[in-house]
Amino acid sequence: MSMTFSGQVALVTGAANGIGRATAQAFAAEGLKVVVSDVDAAGGEGTVQLIRDAGGDATFIRCNVTVDAEVKALVEGTVAAYGRLDYAFNNAGIEIEKGKLAEGSEAEFDAIMGVNVKGVWLCMKYQIPQMLAQGSAGAIVNTASVAGLGAAPKMSIYAASKHAVIGLTKSAAVEYAKKKIRVNAVCPAVIDTDMFRRAYEADPKKGEFAAAMHPVGRIGKVEEIAGAVLYLCSDAAGFTTGHSLAVDGGATAI
């Protein structure tokens, strides 16, 4: 089996930086046309420029994944730009917690669940009918987390949201398996992103702890998550659906 792609179209949300940007670049490097989406227009356009500078084909469409009409317009815009949608990486997500469960606020709960869960649900709600209408195989990968595979102290709402993403992923995978649409999730541990730097820049010791929590002795690279996403979208993973792939340096093996 090959991971070769040709003449196909990928949509990446949360693609203004970090894992989303790296994955959009990886899709483009494989010859796919890429729709880059984010609420951060400057970052999203920056991703598009990086892809174009490398000889790839990309378009930016701004979208707040918590708004039904905007997600619908995103999928419609993808088809208007490139004629179809073959792969989707629903990566947009946030984490804003800093305390234990009883210290959280309703505003935090609504914000995290809105982006991380409703956003993934809305994206699949509009991506799947488009893939079905094309009558060809499609693949969707959702960003969950190792926090969706177990406990995440002081990040209980975030953990709940990522458990929910895995539930949506598995349910959609079963519902559309016979329609040749595969749905999987990628579950990163701590990855070197802006989100990581915000969490640990004030206390270098926390960064050292983050590295030590992985048996490999370091945090992950965005390119390593991008590689996992491309694998799950490729024909090499043709018999894989409903799976939550931990890319975690061995963290969940402990």
Side-chain angles (χ1 to χ4, degrees), residues 65-92:
V65 296
T66 70
V67 180
D68 186 291
E70 292 193 22
V71 178
K72 182 174 185 288
L74 171 61
V75 174
E76 291 174 344
T78 298
V79 177
Y82 293 125
R84 59 186 299 109
L85 173 62
D86 300 289
Y87 309 105
F89 180 37
N90 298 320
N91 171 68

Side-chain angles (χ1 to χ4, degrees), residues 19-57:
I19 292 169
R21 170 174 281 182
T23 305
Q25 291 177 288
F27 273 129
E30 291 291 332
L32 281 80
K33 300 176 178 66
V34 183
V35 172
V36 170
S37 185
D38 206 291
V39 292
D40 176 1
E45 292 285 9
T47 300
V48 168
Q49 192 59 52
L50 288 170
I51 290 172
R52 290 176 178 171
D53 288 346
D57 188 345

